[in-house]
């Protein structure tokens, strides 16, 4: 007859970092500029400022939402890459400039990937609760 052994999994819960996604404040502010420029002639200054403030808050809040954090992360990669590539354009040697730009892009992608992971891992842990491991021991 088979005997079943139930083993509890002892994993610690991931502590979500609420400060790290605030790195997206800089791209949020920069993305607010074209939103304001597009809306100013259409709805006036007061309405444009209101929409820009709402856009800013939604951009930052979405950095904390699981899976949906992908949208602000991708747009932050675009904005931060453009911002940090500007000083790299002043490097005279073409090969070194391309290498520096690739390193900048890689670092920014990794940072935003960490923001996405920070938002998604607690959701995945709740979804896949600590399920026990069941082993069959045959004697």
């Amino acid at each position: 007859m088979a005997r079943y052994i139930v083993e509890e999994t002892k994993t610690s819960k991931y502590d979500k970092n609420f400060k790290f996604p605030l790195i997206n404040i800089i791209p949020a502010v920069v993305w607010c500029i074209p939103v304001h420029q597009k809306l100013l002639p259409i709805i006036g200054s007061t309405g444009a400022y209101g929409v820009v403030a709402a856009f800013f808050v939604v951009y930052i809040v979405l950095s904390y939402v699981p899976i949906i954090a992908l949208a602000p992360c991708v747009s932050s990669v675009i904005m931060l890459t453009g911002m940090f590539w500007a000083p790299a354009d002043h490097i005279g040697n073409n090969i070194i400039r391309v290498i520096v730009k690739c390193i900048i892009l890689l670092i920014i992608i990794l940072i935003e990937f960490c923001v996405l992971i920070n938002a998604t891992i607690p959701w995945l842990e709740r979804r896949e609760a600590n399920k026990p491991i069941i082993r069959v021991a045959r004697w």
Side-chain angles (χ1 to χ4, degrees), residues 50-123:
V51 171
V52 165
F55 175 81
F56 178 79
V57 170
V58 168
Y59 192 95
I60 298 300
V61 168
L62 287 181
S63 297
Y64 292 98
V65 178
I67 304 298
I68 299 173
L70 185 65
C73 288
V74 169
S75 61
S76 293
V77 165
I78 294 168
M79 186 56 65
L80 288 173
T81 302
M83 288 172 58
F84 290 127
W85 274 9
D89 284 336
H90 297 290
I91 298 174
N93 191 341
N94 286 338
I95 296 171
I96 295 175
R97 179 175 46 230
V98 170
I99 292 170
V100 168
K101 284 185 172 186
C102 289
I103 291 171
I104 289 171
L105 179 63
L106 180 68
I107 291 171
I108 292 172
I109 287 174
L110 290 176
I111 288 171
E112 291 301 325
F113 189 65
C114 289
V115 171
L116 178 65
I117 288 171
N118 187 47
T120 307
I121 285 182
W123 173 72

